[in-house]
Amino acid sequence: MASLCLNSLPLSPPSQPPKLSEAPSPSSSSLNINSYYGSKGEASKPIVVSGNPPTFVSAPGRRIVAVGDLHGDLDQTRCALEMAGVLSPAGQDLWTGGETVLIQLGDILDRGEDEIAILSLLRSLDIQAKDEGGAVFQVNGNHETMNVEGDFRYVETGGFDECIDFLEYLDDNRDDWEEAFVGWTGVSKQLKEDRKMPQNYWDPWNLVRRQKGVIARSILLRPGGPLACELARHAVVLKVNDWVFCHGGLIPNHVAYGVERMNREVSHWMRGLSDSDESDNPHFPFIATRGYDSVVWNRLYSRDTSELDDYQNNQIHSILEETLHAVGAKAMVVGHTPQTTGANCKYNCSIWRIDVGMSSGVLNSRPEVLEIKDNKARVIRSKKDTSSESQVVDFI
């Protein structure tokens, strides 16, 4: 199974990161995605991606939509993407976003039964989006990094079952990882239906199957495993135009350490590269993936401000402004911490918190997405209830 990793998108040698206060210019290591020009007429200027995994993205004139934590709930995922205008209705799984740039903020894994199906769907949409002049980007969250570390505490029984089915499916399609992975969303639906025969949880077969599920998940998600290599394609910090996206939150010492450096180290770790494979892979990516103030775990900007005094709020605002200045961004978008009142912005709307706990394994709340258009941001809660949209904030 490890050989399947080689068929995922190869990562070229990393470049020196550009000055964070400036938009990156194309270089030999930058990926100019000319395939984003569609066949339906003239498109906007091409999307230019710098860094592997993608770190800095120039997407001139594009509408951007951001979606928070999904946690294995495929139905809610589809609902959010349809509401964002990038997914066809009725389960056809067709990209309808044109030149839109879709960004998903991590935590696809755990708490739900369709984790791999969501990853597969997003990859399929990315392929389709490129033909239209759009793109799909993902950032990894704490639950992605936990699973690569082998921490399966939050995996549902259905999640283990999906891993068993997916591993067997890969054995039958070992010659083409790309085709197999992109096609999984459709295949998994029927396999899931076949599993719906009622059984007692403590039935011996169930216990054996759970053990098989743990083994299958370990094979898929251990560093160098096929799904870990798929996750390695994605950043932990992504800057698109004047906006920076991450799961938990970026702070000044992360920027000082190096945004592209963090992305590269997490990617190398997920791909199972050792010091003998890559001379610039010095250690486990602690600053990005472990600790309360790491990129994927940080909740500094997501706390309820009503519980903080003025001094604390001013301190947090100061840290946020310092971070944004250092990274050359006007605002930050984060997930990770469910917002029980819905997606919102704080600190003069320089931080947007868009995890609404939409998964049935979390709060089962109605999906919400953030739309950024012409540097104006709004929350889309429901096409049928436009009065519930948030204010439009102009950053120009």
Side-chain angles (χ1 to χ4, degrees):
M1 297 304 302
S3 62
L4 291 169
C5 174
L6 303 177
N7 293 326
S8 36
L9 180 67
L11 302 181
S12 61
S15 62
Q16 292 296 318
K19 292 181 179 179
L20 294 178
S21 60
E22 301 174 359
S25 59
S27 66
S28 59
S29 64
S30 297
L31 180 59
N32 189 338
I33 309 178
N34 293 312
S35 62
Y36 279 15
Y37 281 111
S39 58
K40 298 183 179 180
E42 296 226 359
S44 303
K45 293 180 180 179
I47 295 173
V48 179
V49 180
S50 176
N52 272 312
T55 302
F56 304 99
V57 177
S58 172
R62 294 328 197 268
R63 170 181 180 257
I64 299 170
V65 290
V67 179
D69 305 31
L70 300 174
H71 281 302
D73 192 325
L74 184 58
D75 290 338
Q76 290 283 69
T77 297
R78 285 198 173 108
C79 181
L81 297 181
E82 288 175 23
M83 194 168 57
V86 299
L87 181 69
S88 60
Q92 296 175 337
D93 294 343
L94 300 176
W95 175 260
T96 59
E99 295 185 348
T100 297
V101 173
L102 168 66
I103 301 166
Q104 198 284 321
L105 288 179
D107 275 13
I108 290 172
L109 299 186
D110 290 339
R111 304 188 190 278
E113 299 185 345
D114 294 296
E115 305 153 282
I116 307 172
I118 295 173
L119 291 170
S120 169
L121 173 61
L122 291 175
R123 172 71 94 84
S124 173
L125 292 178
D126 182 39
I127 294 170
Q128 297 176 57
K130 288 178 179 177
D131 290 334
E132 299 289 332
V136 177
F137 295 100
Q138 297 168 238
V139 298
N140 286 316
N142 60 301
H143 282 267
E144 279 73 44
T145 60
M146 288 166 65
N147 274 267
V148 176
E149 288 189 76
D151 185 344
F152 300 156
R153 284 177 293 169
Y154 300 98
V155 182
E156 293 290 323
T157 299
F160 285 121
D161 288 340
E162 188 186 27
C163 287
I164 296 172
D165 291 341
F166 184 65
L167 194 60
E168 293 174 350
Y169 168 74
L170 288 185
D171 284 337
D172 295 333
N173 297 271
R174 65 175 66 241
D175 293 333
D176 193 336
W177 159 261
E178 184 83 10
E179 182 178 349
F181 183 64
V182 170
W184 172 249
T185 304
V187 173
S188 66
K189 181 179 180 181
Q190 184 58 51
L191 293 176
K192 191 176 178 181
E193 288 294 324
D194 294 342
R195 286 203 312 267
K196 283 188 175 178
M197 296 178 61
Q199 287 184 336
N200 185 295
Y201 182 84
W202 295 107
D203 185 280
W205 169 242
N206 272 351
L207 296 177
V208 171
R209 185 170 179 85
R210 185 174 179 85
Q211 289 178 324
K212 287 181 64 178
V214 172
I215 294 170
R217 197 172 185 92
S218 299
I219 292 171
L220 291 169
L221 282 161
R222 67 190 177 195
L227 276 184
C229 287
E230 183 65 28
L231 296 176
R233 297 161 54 98
H234 312 308
V236 290
V237 180
L238 180 71
K239 182 170 180 267
V240 181
N241 298 341
D242 292 329
W243 296 72
V244 62
F245 301 85
C246 55
H247 182 67
L250 198 65
I251 55 179
N253 69 304
H254 297 150
V255 183
Y257 185 83
V259 171
E260 193 169 12
R261 178 184 176 187
M262 285 191 298
N263 285 343
R264 188 169 65 242
E265 289 179 357
V266 174
S267 180
H268 287 178
W269 164 63
M270 287 183 166
R271 293 168 66 211
L273 299 180
S274 64
D275 290 340
S276 60
D277 297 314
E278 293 281 347
S279 60
D280 60 343
N281 182 37
H283 52 69
F284 180 86
F286 187 94
I287 192 170
T289 63
R290 278 192 187 170
Y292 72 94
D293 62 349
S294 63
V295 177
V296 301
W297 282 99
N298 185 13
R299 300 186 194 270
L300 180 66
Y301 308 126
S302 299
R303 299 170 63 185
D304 184 351
T305 54
S306 66
E307 298 178 354
L308 306 173
D309 59 35
D310 289 343
Y311 175 79
Q312 291 172 316
N313 272 313
N314 289 337
Q315 287 292 101
I316 295 172
H317 193 182
S318 177
I319 292 170
L320 175 60
E321 290 300 317
E322 181 182 349
T323 304
L324 293 174
H325 176 76
V327 81
K330 294 183 178 180
M332 187 185 305
V333 185
V334 299
H336 187 43
T337 304
Q339 303 294 305
T340 56
T341 59
N344 61 81
C345 66
K346 294 295 180 183
Y347 305 113
N348 297 328
C349 282
S350 54
I351 185 75
W352 286 83
R353 298 97 66 91
I354 67 168
D355 175 18
V356 295
M358 72 177 78
S359 169
S360 59
V362 185
L363 300 178
N364 199 29
S365 62
R366 65 176 178 179
E368 301 183 15
V369 300
L370 180 69
E371 178 188 64
I372 302 167
K373 191 173 181 180
D374 298 326
N375 241 7
K376 299 174 183 178
R378 66 175 184 173
V379 174
I380 302 176
R381 292 192 169 94
S382 171
K383 284 187 175 181
K384 297 180 180 179
D385 183 13
T386 55
S387 63
S388 68
E389 292 180 357
S390 74
Q391 79 234 49
V392 176
V393 181
D394 192 342
F395 286 98
I396 297 176

